[in-house]
Amino acid sequence: DIQMTQSPSSLSASVGDRVTITCRASQGISNSLAWYQQKPGKAPKLLLYAASRLESGVPSRFSGSGSGTDYTLTISSLQPEDFATYYCQQFYRTPPTFGQGTKLEIK
Amino acid sequence: EVQLLESGGGLVQPGGSLRLSCAASGFTFSSYDMNWVRQAPGKGLEWVSSISGNGGRSDYADSVKGRFTISRDNSKNTLYLQMNSLRAEDTAIYYCAKVPHGAMATGYFDYWGQGTLVTVSS
């Protein structure tokens, strides 16, 4: 199975900050990467797919980049509603696998 | 509006069985591959199983292979997960999740249900 490693595991930031979360795959995944946001007690919500394509309805302050094994999620200017846990997921090979999550907290 | 509504969770003893359902609406159910993804309390996400739109192909995580069976009834717009020989480590919230058109069955997930909690304990 492809292992996905996110960093950091947790992050404290303030409203208006620019934040970057990193996801590293154990082998190349050819941009077959999705990012999700999950708030407490809620289901995950798709933010980006194919590494950099924004899902419909997701604010443009979210962006994704990367290639090969290394990918990033960037939030350009944190809003209060962005404090949540973020997961990356590879879909290059079955089984699809997720990173362990990055909890974004208010500083 | 796409809606996925899971049901069937509950408390079950180790070795027991449970069947989860996911009622879908707001899209042509038979045209989309569907998945189950679970999340143990306070933990991350784990893919469980997928099934093609016509039900002809399915895949399973090694952790549930031989114990869980995914199926669907396209006439009822409903996805199922039959869980047998349940273990304590199967305790989790189980989400059904839809795959976008054109993505592989075990691709990424554009819509998720609200989840149903399965607790395996004596």
Side-chain angles (χ1 to χ4, degrees):
Chain A
D1 298 0
I2 297 176
Q3 306 303 314
M4 305 299 292
T5 303
Q6 286 182 234
S7 60
S9 295
S10 64
L11 176 60
S12 294
S14 301
V15 173
D17 284 354
R18 179 183 180 91
V19 167
T20 297
I21 298 169
T22 298
C23 183
R24 174 165 289 176
S26 59
Q27 66 182 79
I29 57 172
S30 296
N31 288 358
S32 298
L33 185 92
W35 288 98
Y36 301 89
Q37 176 193 68
Q38 187 179 33
K39 296 182 178 179
K42 300 294 187 181
K45 173 188 174 184
L46 177 66
L47 298 177
L48 297 113
Y49 59 97
S52 61
R53 302 187 73 168
L54 201 65
E55 174 69 354
S56 175
V58 174
S60 58
R61 63 180 179 272
F62 292 91
S63 63
S65 65
S67 63
T69 60
D70 295 328
Y71 298 86
T72 59
L73 169 69
T74 298
I75 309 172
S76 60
S77 179
L78 274 174
Q79 299 302 299
E81 61 268 30
D82 299 337
F83 292 94
T85 299
Y86 292 84
Y87 294 94
C88 62
Q89 178 229 330
Q90 68 80 22
F91 51 95
Y92 183 69
R93 289 267 185 260
T94 299
T97 47
F98 295 85
Q100 81 280 12
T102 295
K103 186 173 184 179
L104 180 52
E105 299 175 303
I106 300 174
K107 184 182 287 184
Chain B
E1 179 192 5
V2 171
Q3 290 194 333
L4 299 170
L5 185 61
E6 301 94 336
S7 60
L11 175 64
V12 60
Q13 292 188 339
S17 298
L18 213 54
R19 188 177 84 154
L20 306 183
S21 300
C22 171
S25 61
F27 64 104
T28 304
F29 182 66
S30 61
S31 295
Y32 292 88
D33 301 336
M34 296 293 294
N35 287 252
W36 289 97
V37 178
R38 68 185 181 183
Q39 186 170 36
K43 301 298 184 182
L45 300 164
E46 180 189 18
W47 172 79
V48 173
S49 183
S50 71
I51 189 167
S52 59
N54 64 8
R57 181 188 166 104
S58 58
D59 274 303
Y60 298 91
D62 286 345
S63 58
V64 307
K65 200 170 292 182
R67 300 187 299 122
F68 289 11
T69 302
I70 192 171
S71 63
R72 62 193 298 161
D73 186 337
N74 287 342
S75 68
K76 295 182 178 179
N77 289 348
T78 303
L79 176 72
Y80 302 100
L81 186 67
Q82 177 66 44
M83 304 185 296
N84 299 331
S85 303
L86 282 160
R87 306 166 180 166
E89 54 265 36
D90 296 319
T91 294
I93 297 171
Y94 285 74
Y95 296 101
C96 65
K98 172 186 165 293
V99 174
H101 183 72
M104 56 191 280
T106 52
Y108 62 97
F109 314 115
D110 58 352
Y111 288 94
W112 299 61
Q114 87 293 343
T116 187
L117 177 62
V118 172
T119 303
V120 184
S121 175
S122 55

